[in-house]
Amino acid sequence: MPIITKPNCFDADYFFVCKGNEILVKDNSFISKKEFEFFANETFSDDWYIEKNLSFAAALAKENCSAPENCKFISVRQFCFEHKETAFLASRAASILKQRSAFKFCPSCKGKLIDDETESARKCPDCKTKFFPRIEPATITLVSKGEEILLVRNKNSAYKNYACVSGFVEQGETLEQCVAREIKEETNIEVQRIKYCGSQAWPFPDQLMLAFTAEYKSGEIKIQESEILEAHWFKRTELPPESQLPRPGSVAWNLINGIFKS
């Protein structure tokens, strides 16, 4: 079904206003149609759209906009953790708004992109090329060695807690090849018995996290210093403090706590 840009009528069940990596809430819950309509104009938002088949509308608030009375902006990540029943819609809304902001013109002929009439895509009216919402697959893996698990801290991310080894899938790779390559590159550890566990949308901005477990095969830890701050084996009964671990609901937390079963 198509996405309709900047409509005047908002016949939907859910409404999302995003700003950067944040989303607007009222009393820690969903905003109403009234609050959404406050933002759905050129004064307060750079973009807004509706997906009628999914019954939601989304707006991209200008950076200098403040939250209305009794409302506040919280992180999209926190919203998804607290409202799992609508995490899919909130994730989709935030991701598509970011992509629409970043990709406004056709990379082939420079034509200005417009909404496709039948699908959730944008198209170039000049060369007719269609551009669907982008998804970037990434693997995340819990490596075990007996009663120990391998956790790392990333150097180049704002997130500095311990987590599982993760990385983007490269062209031509299988998911299992990506798992083995990322672990080897970042920690010098070789793994075996790679098993898929589950997946989770991760709209920061457009990842799909594919969760795996793997068993230690060989090697001693030697970190990729350009990517990793530190990597250690931890006994499952002696993990770092909770404040240094992934938040509940995240794919890494699910792996560490056995929510994803291999």
Side-chain angles (χ1 to χ4, degrees):
M1 293 290 289
I3 291 174
I4 302 173
T5 296
K6 296 185 177 180
N8 295 317
C9 179
F10 306 106
D11 184 15
D13 293 326
Y14 298 98
F15 302 92
F16 304 104
V17 173
C18 299
K19 183 172 70 170
N21 289 321
E22 296 181 321
I23 194 166
L24 187 69
V25 296
K26 182 176 183 180
D27 299 325
N28 291 319
S29 189
F30 302 99
I31 63 171
S32 68
K33 181 179 179 180
K34 179 180 179 181
E35 280 91 32
F36 183 82
E37 288 177 335
F38 174 83
F39 280 91
N41 56 71
E42 300 286 353
T43 301
F44 296 108
S45 290
D46 294 317
D47 184 23
W48 64 93
Y49 71 86
I50 189 169
E51 278 201 86
K52 289 188 176 181
N53 64 310
L54 295 176
S55 197
F56 82 89
L60 182 64
K62 294 181 182 294
E63 282 298 320
N64 60 355
C65 275
S66 300
E69 186 177 1
N70 298 323
C71 296
K72 64 180 179 179
F73 284 99
I74 66 172
S75 71
V76 176
R77 185 177 301 183
Q78 178 183 343
F79 183 91
C80 290
F81 292 164
E82 295 176 354
H83 302 280
K84 292 181 175 60
E85 71 282 2
T86 53
F88 159 67
L89 295 181
S91 298
R92 181 176 176 85
S95 184
I96 289 179
L97 282 169
K98 285 185 178 180
Q99 291 187 31
R100 285 162 60 96
S101 177
F103 301 100
K104 298 179 180 179
F105 298 92
C106 176
S108 298
C109 72
K110 302 180 182 180
K112 188 171 183 179
L113 301 179
I114 62 174
D115 294 325
D116 187 76
E117 295 88 352
T118 59
E119 299 178 288
S120 58
R122 307 212 87 188
K123 70 176 183 180
C124 176
D126 299 325
C127 69
K128 312 303 180 186
T129 305
K130 286 187 181 183
F131 300 91
F132 288 87
R134 186 178 66 183
I135 299 174
E136 297 185 356
T139 62
I140 180 167
T141 308
L142 182 71
V143 181
S144 61
K145 182 172 69 171
E147 292 302 312
E148 295 181 316
I149 60 174
L150 180 65
L151 298 179
V152 303
R153 292 177 61 224
N154 192 284
K155 183 176 183 178
N156 300 318
S157 171
Y159 180 83
K160 297 303 181 186
N161 285 8
Y162 286 101
C164 306
V165 177
S166 62
F168 289 104
V169 182
E170 294 188 355
Q171 284 81 358
E173 278 187 325
T174 66
L175 298 176
E176 291 80 5
Q177 287 171 334
C178 176
V179 166
R181 174 183 56 77
E182 286 289 345
I183 295 168
K184 177 66 175 177
E185 286 180 353
E186 295 189 356
T187 69
N188 194 45
I189 298 297
E190 294 189 5
V191 295
Q192 60 188 346
R193 297 187 180 91
I194 299 169
K195 295 182 180 180
Y196 172 75
C197 298
S199 63
Q200 186 178 66
W202 204 246
F204 309 110
D206 47 30
Q207 286 95 333
L208 174 64
M209 302 302 296
L210 303 153
F212 290 83
T213 60
E215 295 181 11
Y216 170 85
K217 182 180 180 181
S218 64
E220 297 294 330
I221 291 177
K222 182 180 180 181
I223 63 170
Q224 183 182 22
E225 294 184 357
S226 61
E227 296 285 338
I228 302 297
L229 282 174
E230 56 180 311
H232 302 288
W233 292 106
F234 291 94
K235 292 182 179 179
R236 292 181 182 272
T237 55
E238 299 177 6
L239 295 177
E242 187 175 321
S243 62
Q244 297 179 25
L245 291 172
R247 290 190 57 183
S250 66
V251 65
W253 188 91
N254 289 340
L255 280 168
I256 293 168
N257 289 276
I259 305 302
F260 283 145
K261 299 294 185 180
S262 60

